[in-house]
Amino acid sequence: MCVFGKVDGDKNGNKKTNYQGRGIGRKIIETLEQDEYFTRASRIEVPASITALEFYKKMGYDYKDGIAELEKGVLYRLEKIR
């Protein structure tokens, strides 16, 4: 199961934050983590952008194999071990 998100910017490149900080992302992750596939898995891996890193860390994910480097300069590999 994959979930992707994007925060669009205005014409000046400023991010719109209308939905940030409202718990929507947390609710999505909590719902996904109740899925049968998630509950049966011993480990979940997610790709995270620089801007999503702190969110996933708050949700209990950590660097895969302890490696805190960007993959191909774009994404971190995070995992949650159950």
Side-chain angles (χ1 to χ4, degrees), residues 1 10 19 31 44 70:
M1 183 177 301
D10 64 15
Y19 298 102
T31 300
I44 300 296
L70 286 168

Side-chain angles (χ1 to χ4, degrees), residues 17-36:
T17 58
N18 307 26
Y19 298 102
Q20 292 178 334
R22 293 186 179 185
I24 297 168
R26 176 177 300 277
K27 184 65 176 168
I28 291 170
I29 295 298
E30 288 171 349
T31 300
L32 290 172
E33 290 181 352
Q34 292 174 17
D35 181 81
E36 178 183 349

Side-chain angles (χ1 to χ4, degrees), residues 2-79:
C2 295
V3 175
F4 299 94
K6 181 179 182 252
V7 176
D8 291 324
D10 64 15
K11 64 182 179 180
N12 297 320
N14 299 315
K15 289 184 179 178
K16 296 178 184 177
T17 58
N18 307 26
Y19 298 102
Q20 292 178 334
R22 293 186 179 185
I24 297 168
R26 176 177 300 277
K27 184 65 176 168
I28 291 170
I29 295 298
E30 288 171 349
T31 300
L32 290 172
E33 290 181 352
Q34 292 174 17
D35 181 81
E36 178 183 349
Y37 289 108
F38 183 91
T39 58
R40 293 188 319 194
S42 59
R43 183 182 74 84
I44 300 296
E45 182 177 331
V46 297
S49 66
I50 294 171
T51 57
L53 179 62
E54 289 307 312
F55 167 75
Y56 280 110
K57 291 187 89 165
K58 287 179 187 177
M59 296 301 299
Y61 290 81
D62 204 355
Y63 299 110
K64 180 182 177 186
D65 300 324
I67 300 171
E69 296 178 9
L70 286 168
E71 184 178 89
K72 297 181 183 178
V74 180
L75 300 172
Y76 289 100
R77 287 287 167 187
L78 304 178
E79 65 183 353

